[in-house]
């Protein structure tokens, strides 16, 4: 849009806010992807693992008695197929076990083994330290404020 | 860590900042994924297109004379294979054309056609309006501030 002198009309202000939000979104997306790229690289180098494996273990760590595959897929928002492959590999590595659901022969739960819990504790500690370093420009107060602001975004979308 | 009375040691403060940054990261990631999910759904419903297609068109819209496939992959940070499939489909739909690079028989550039430019203009306008709506809790000033803060994250990672 061409400059229309120094007067600012409500339309200009709206267009400006819209551009500012778009710029914010593109930079938020870029920094999110960059942090994820660093996490992927470090998980590979230091733990010989992947971000989806870490995410599956993180989800299981929150449910000590285990999760059904369908619930695990829901938590991760990835396709059932992917989760199945990841869980198969984690089971081969002794990180998770499948346990039968009492009274439901067709359903099984996945849960971390003792070894899986210990391995996840090590990875989670490193992960937290990496995030602390990558976001070290944000003070604790600023991080708390932004946590609330991002929640507002999540709830906004619940309305759509 | 157990509570150690009301005294706050430097270690406590560091641990608190680390937890705050981790919480911020998890919520930032969640809201980013949720905004992307809304964008995917609306691009599908209103333009019968996908987010990767939109991203390819957005990259090409910034380079009027076209981009090599390798540059396009770099911009998008997705695998060459994926970009190839997307570009093939966009070419079938008359949205992009491949043009020969003068003096390099093996290299070709991809650029938007006139139809592609017009289609992208419509999609980009809708995309900006959706972002404006989804991030409407952020004022123009706040969005500008956050853009700078996210840039700090990106530059942080350049050091790693």
């Amino acid at each position: 849009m061409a400059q229309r002198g120094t007067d600012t009309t409500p339309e200009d202000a709206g267009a400006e806010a819209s551009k500012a939000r778009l710029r914010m979104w593109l930079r938020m997306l870029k920094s999110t992807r960059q942090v994820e790229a660093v996490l992927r690289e470090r998980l590979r180098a230091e733990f010989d693992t992947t971000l989806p494996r870490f995410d599956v273990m993180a989800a299981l760590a929150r449910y000590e008695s285990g999760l059904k595959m369908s619930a695990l897929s829901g938590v991760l928002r990835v396709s059932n197929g992917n989760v199945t492959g990841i869980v198969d590999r984690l089971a081969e590595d002794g990180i998770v076990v499948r346990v039968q659901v009492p009274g439901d022969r067709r359903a099984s739960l996945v849960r971390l083994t003792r070894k899986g819990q210990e391995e996840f504790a090590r990875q989670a500690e490193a992960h937290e330290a990496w995030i602390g370093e990558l976001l070290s420009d944000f003070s604790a107060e600023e991080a708390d404020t932004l946590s609330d602001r991002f929640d507002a975004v999540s709830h906004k979308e619940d309305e759509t």
Side-chain angles (χ1 to χ4, degrees), chain A:
Chain A
M1 198 187 292
Q3 290 286 339
R4 290 190 285 175
T6 53
D7 294 334
T8 303
T9 67
E11 293 78 35
D12 287 341
E16 221 173 87
S18 179
K19 295 286 176 209
R21 289 181 190 123
L22 182 60
R23 196 163 48 237
M24 171 190 151
W25 165 246
L26 295 175
R27 294 193 185 182
M28 179 174 167
L29 196 56
K30 186 180 175 192
S31 51
T32 300
R33 287 180 180 166
Q34 289 190 342
V35 169
E36 282 194 315
V38 173
L39 294 178
R40 279 178 209 283
E41 174 52 27
R42 293 193 182 172
L43 283 170
R44 189 196 60 70
E46 302 203 12
F47 295 102
D48 192 23
T49 192
T50 65
L51 198 49
R53 269 172 76 101
F54 178 80
D55 287 342
V56 166
M57 290 170 73
L60 293 176
R62 289 197 296 273
Y63 297 89
E64 213 171 314
S65 53
L67 274 176
K68 288 189 186 175
M69 288 297 289
S70 53
L72 198 49
S73 297
V75 168
L76 294 173
R77 293 192 182 217
V78 300
S79 75
N80 215 311
N82 280 341
V83 172
T84 302
I86 292 166
V87 168
D88 286 346
R89 282 290 312 278
L90 289 171
E92 282 167 28
D93 296 344
I95 300 292
V96 304
V97 282
R98 290 191 174 84
V99 289
Q100 218 51 43
V101 177
D104 185 347
R105 282 186 55 199
R106 286 175 308 173
S108 64
L109 294 170
V110 182
R111 63 171 171 73
L112 291 177
T113 60
R114 170 68 68 92
K115 178 186 169 188
Q117 289 170 5
E118 289 169 358
E119 180 61 23
F120 180 70
R122 291 200 306 131
Q123 294 181 10
E125 189 183 353
H127 175 268
E128 182 178 320
W130 297 334
I131 293 295
E133 170 205 333
L134 292 165
L135 301 185
S136 61
D137 283 345
F138 297 85
S139 70
E141 289 72 25
E142 194 179 8
D144 282 340
T145 303
L146 285 176
S147 290
D148 291 343
R149 304 300 284 129
F150 292 137
D151 264 3
V153 177
S154 303
H155 295 139
K156 197 82 188 173
E157 285 138 38
D158 292 342
E159 297 162 19
T160 62

